[in-house]
Amino acid sequence: MAAQYVQYKGIKFPCGYNSAESLQIAENEFHVRDDDIFNVTYPKSGTVWMIEILSLILNGGDPSLNQSVLNSLRAPWFTCQLGLETAQNLLSPRLLTCHLPIQIFPKAFFHSKAKVIYTLRDPRDVLVSYFHFSKMCIPFGEPKSFNHFFENFLNGDVLFGSWFDHITGWMKLKGKSNIFFISYEQLHQDLRGSVEHLCHFLGKELDEAAITSVVQNASFEAMQNNSMCNSTMLPKEFMDQTKGTFLRKGICGDWKTHFTVAQSERFDKVYQEKMRGLKENFPW
């Protein structure tokens, strides 16, 4: 049976996580504090990884919170009702998570000193990871086939909308002092250096031992073994663990094992068309 979804301002969102009311509240009524830190991504672009990194930085490298409190409580999804209630009760500075495109991001943010960390990823790897995730995540609906999902992704007919629109919308804000852009690929190539840059952006200076702790506890292996972030605690009506692993590979370039030559050529053509307006050198 096909998954149901919520439509808000032309974009599909998964049921069970969001409602039109919760999204309207997130956009128009959510109270943004000046010391809020927003972890913003398109799905499957390093969301959970960044939650772990930022949680560790904010706690001075101490992993005890990461290892004892669910990531959805440490960095709530304020676009859903439960996450909104959690966010409202968090002490400052709050770490908040969402997949919102720029046009429905909280309006109050643009009149605040709050900060956004936006993580982006090679869209070909996003597509592959999204396909495997959708097979596991019940509210997302199991894809008919890889090729069918491939076409839907290129057309923007997936939950949370078009990757191309999401990226180009947020990239228009590049250069703003309170928005930090980083890629999944950068995190892979130099996690320690990335952590240092994030610390500087957040005004959170950590000593060498603390930075080492962040790097060690935000490694793929550490996250795989941490039930507070690997999604093994989610109920089976949300996540079917028999169909895959939430933290599946955590690598760059996995698209090469999935795309046919024809798919690769088609993707490149659509990518060039949709990204034509961006004068940006991405690491993929």
Side-chain angles (χ1 to χ4, degrees):
M1 186 172 65
Q4 300 297 307
Y5 57 83
V6 173
Q7 186 135 343
Y8 184 76
K9 295 196 171 180
I11 297 175
K12 296 177 182 178
F13 293 88
C15 287
Y17 293 96
N18 310 102
S19 67
E21 181 185 13
S22 69
L23 289 161
Q24 189 279 138
I25 291 171
E27 180 189 4
N28 299 303
E29 302 174 35
F30 186 71
H31 175 67
V32 176
R33 303 173 193 169
D34 280 338
D35 57 359
D36 281 342
I37 300 163
F38 289 89
N39 171 34
V40 184
T41 59
Y42 186 82
K44 312 314 297 173
S45 300
T47 318
V48 167
W49 196 3
M50 188 54 71
I51 290 175
E52 295 309 293
I53 292 169
L54 295 176
S55 292
L56 287 159
I57 289 174
L58 294 175
N59 286 285
D62 182 354
S64 57
L65 193 69
N66 289 53
Q67 295 169 355
S68 61
V69 178
L70 280 171
N71 57 1
S72 59
L73 299 178
R74 288 183 273 120
W77 295 81
F78 65 92
T79 56
C80 62
Q81 186 58 43
L82 181 59
L84 176 62
E85 293 171 4
T86 302
Q88 290 171 332
N89 293 321
L90 273 185
L91 296 176
S92 294
R94 298 184 298 185
L95 178 56
L96 305 165
T97 303
C98 75
H99 291 319
L100 292 178
I102 190 68
Q103 67 269 26
I104 55 177
F105 198 67
K107 290 178 178 175
F109 169 79
F110 301 99
H111 307 286
S112 75
K113 297 177 182 177
K115 296 181 177 181
V116 161
I117 290 97
Y118 187 93
T119 311
L120 56 158
R121 186 184 187 185
D122 185 333
R124 296 166 296 187
D125 281 335
V126 170
L127 190 161
V128 168
S129 183
Y130 209 164
F131 168 74
H132 287 287
F133 176 76
S134 296
K135 291 197 292 185
M136 295 177 61
C137 192
I138 308 301
F140 279 57
E142 184 163 357
K144 294 179 182 179
S145 66
F146 180 75
N147 190 60
H148 186 262
F149 189 84
F150 177 92
E151 291 298 331
N152 284 350
F153 185 90
L154 287 184
N155 295 327
D157 189 19
V158 289
L159 294 174
F160 298 100
S162 164
W163 178 90
F164 302 99
D165 292 348
H166 206 284
I167 295 296
T168 54
W170 275 101
M171 289 299 293
K172 290 175 183 175
L173 299 185
K174 189 170 185 182
K176 298 282 187 181
S177 61
N178 63 333
I179 302 181
F180 185 92
F181 289 91
I182 192 167
S183 72
Y184 190 94
E185 290 74 20
Q186 285 173 288
L187 293 171
H188 254 282
Q189 291 162 9
D190 183 9
L191 182 54
R192 189 181 191 90
S194 298
V195 168
E196 291 171 347
H197 288 309
L198 284 163
C199 286
H200 180 71
F201 173 71
L202 296 171
K204 189 80 175 177
E205 301 305 324
L206 303 185
D207 61 27
E208 290 299 308
I211 290 175
T212 297
S213 178
V214 174
V215 172
Q216 290 176 344
N217 288 285
S219 70
F220 187 74
E221 292 72 24
M223 292 191 296
Q224 273 189 315
N225 294 320
N226 183 359
S227 61
M228 297 296 104
C229 71
N230 65 14
S231 289
T232 54
M233 302 286 281
L234 286 174
K236 61 183 180 181
E237 58 265 27
F238 277 93
M239 191 74 73
D240 186 350
Q241 305 284 348
T242 67
K243 293 185 177 179
T245 304
F246 175 66
L247 295 172
R248 195 175 58 92
K249 288 186 178 180
I251 62 174
C252 300
D254 193 38
W255 66 270
K256 296 173 185 175
T257 67
H258 289 72
F259 283 25
T260 64
V261 172
Q263 286 173 334
S264 181
E265 290 174 351
R266 172 153 164 66
F267 194 99
D268 288 348
K269 182 179 179 181
V270 173
Y271 182 93
Q272 294 301 325
E273 290 173 356
K274 292 186 178 289
M275 301 292 278
R276 186 181 297 124
L278 276 185
K279 309 299 182 185
E280 196 72 35
N281 291 317
F282 295 107
W284 53 73

